[in-house]
């Protein structure tokens, strides 16, 4: 199965020209990478341009967010139907940086369903803010997963990608260790299996995100037992990101 490598550019870079240079750089430097599907999620305003500049199949495109309704008077929002009409494949939903701005699990669940309804795959971000000795973070994570998937059917959940991103490891000095990640992928699988059954849970892809670099990517995927990675900072440098892709192939 091809690994999924998601580039979450967040609010970067500052010009369309720079966005194109990073994208082209990656495309050229990663042309021999196999078994990795790279999903670029640039700011909305750059998506169309980058997408039109690419005709291959190794790379696909996604958005960093979407609104819960397809249409209406919603100043500043972006309709999932518009994204579908652009033929995007993925939409990141419930990133911790959006949750920090006030998105609750209930809103995230509506977004997950809106994206699914529009035949795209939500990349649902979950992760605890901090660790504690008593394991309260596990309860937090379980609640976050279940509430963010509220009302999502067994049939639909197969198209959801879970991105486990412990908040303490995002934009940090270090990623979590691959052995800790392995423990967490098992835990997330168990939570999903309890709700959807083992077979369905086994078909749901789990990614890791948080301070992934070209140095730790290979081990995180292999030892952490994840289906891919969600990458912020390291996806903004074409050379580093191409090395990262090679490391997980
Ligand atoms: P980072 O961001 O790779 O810069 O830590 C990951 C993310 O927030 O998705």
């Amino acid at each position: 199965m091809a690994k999924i490598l998601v580039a979450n550019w967040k609010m970067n870079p500052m010009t369309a020209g720079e966005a194109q240079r990073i994208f082209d750089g990656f495309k050229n430097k990663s042309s021999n990478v196999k078994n990795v599907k790279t999903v670029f999620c640039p700011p909305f305003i750059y998506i169309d341009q980058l997408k039109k500049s690419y005709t291959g199949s190794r790379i696909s495109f996604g958005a960093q967010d979407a609104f819960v309704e397809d249409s209406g008077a919603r100043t500043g929002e972006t309709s999932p139907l518009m994204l579908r009409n652009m033929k995007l494949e993925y939409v990141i939903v419930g990133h911790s940086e959006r949750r920090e701005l006030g998105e609750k699990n209930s809103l995230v669940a509506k977004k997950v369903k809106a994206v699914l309804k529009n035949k795209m795959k939500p990349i649902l971000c979950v992760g605890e803010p901090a660790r504690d000795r008593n394991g309260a973070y596990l309860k937090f994570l379980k609640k976050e997963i279940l509430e963010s998937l509220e009302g999502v059917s067994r049939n639909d959940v197969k198209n959801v990608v879970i991105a486990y991103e412990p908040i303490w490891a995002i934009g940090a000095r270090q990623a979590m260790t691959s052995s800790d990640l392995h423990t967490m992928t098992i835990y997330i699988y168990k939570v999903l299996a309890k709700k959807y059954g083992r077979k369905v849970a086994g078909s749901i892809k789990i990614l890791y995100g948080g301070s992934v670099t070209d140095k730790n990517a290979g081990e995180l995927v292999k030892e952490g037992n994840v289906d891919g990675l969600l990458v912020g900072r390291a996806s903004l440098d074409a050379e580093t990101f191409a090395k990262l892709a090679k490391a997980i192939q």
Side-chain angles (χ1 to χ4, degrees):
M1 271 290 218
K3 296 285 181 259
I4 303 175
L5 178 61
V6 185
N8 175 16
W9 278 3
K10 308 189 180 184
M11 204 165 67
N12 300 290
M14 290 307 132
T15 66
E18 222 180 309
Q20 193 70 53
R21 272 193 297 281
I22 301 168
F23 179 76
D24 290 345
F26 174 81
K27 189 178 66 184
N28 297 332
K29 289 181 194 345
S30 66
S31 56
N32 55 355
V33 172
K34 293 204 175 62
N35 292 322
V36 178
K37 173 153 200 179
T38 310
V39 183
F40 276 85
C41 301
F44 288 120
I45 54 165
Y46 304 144
I47 300 175
D48 192 48
Q49 172 197 322
L50 297 181
K51 201 166 177 300
K52 281 186 179 140
S53 75
Y54 182 74
T55 50
S57 59
R58 274 187 307 123
I59 297 174
S60 101
F61 292 89
Q64 295 176 18
D65 187 29
F67 192 57
V68 294
E69 294 161 8
D70 284 350
S71 64
R74 301 292 185 188
T75 304
E77 294 293 349
T78 303
S79 149
L81 178 57
M82 293 174 190
L83 301 175
R84 173 191 187 169
N85 288 339
M86 282 178 80
K87 304 209 162 29
L88 298 194
E89 202 179 335
Y90 294 89
V91 181
I92 296 174
V93 176
H95 191 279
S96 61
E97 286 151 16
R98 298 214 55 85
R99 292 178 185 268
E100 197 186 313
L101 295 172
E103 278 193 19
K104 300 271 178 286
N105 292 336
S106 53
L107 180 63
V108 173
K110 283 186 190 155
K111 291 189 171 187
V112 168
K113 282 176 276 191
V115 170
L116 288 167
K117 193 187 94 182
N118 281 293
K119 312 275 178 239
M120 295 176 290
K121 294 175 185 145
I123 301 171
L124 168 61
C125 299
V126 294
E128 75 280 3
R131 289 265 158 138
D132 62 288
R133 283 179 176 202
N134 304 324
Y137 69 94
L138 292 172
K139 285 199 191 100
F140 175 94
L141 187 62
K142 182 177 179 182
K143 184 168 185 274
E144 187 171 55
I145 293 171
L146 295 177
E147 289 185 2
S148 301
L149 288 173
E150 179 68 46
V152 177
S153 71
R154 282 168 68 102
N155 208 27
D156 282 347
V157 81
K158 294 174 195 160
N159 290 316
V160 175
V161 176
I162 305 273
Y164 171 59
E165 300 203 297
I167 298 172
W168 51 269
I170 295 178
R173 281 236 209 98
Q174 269 186 325
M176 84 187 301
T177 64
S178 55
S179 61
D180 280 351
L181 176 58
H182 194 184
T183 311
M184 296 310 291
T185 49
I186 292 169
Y187 180 73
I188 293 166
Y189 166 76
K190 278 190 184 158
V191 170
L192 294 170
K194 192 148 186 234
K195 182 170 161 89
Y196 293 108
R198 281 203 234 160
K199 191 154 170 257
V200 171
S203 70
I204 302 172
K205 299 227 172 357
I206 302 176
L207 314 183
Y208 167 78
S211 301
V212 176
T213 66
D214 52 328
K215 309 279 187 299
N216 62 20
E219 189 184 327
L220 282 165
V221 167
K222 212 162 152 237
E223 314 287 334
N225 199 23
V226 286
D227 301 295
L229 301 165
L230 177 48
V231 185
R233 250 177 326 180
S235 70
L236 286 158
D237 181 87
E239 191 158 349
T240 307
F241 197 46
K243 275 193 202 151
L244 208 158
K246 278 185 197 131
I248 67 165
Q249 69 182 339

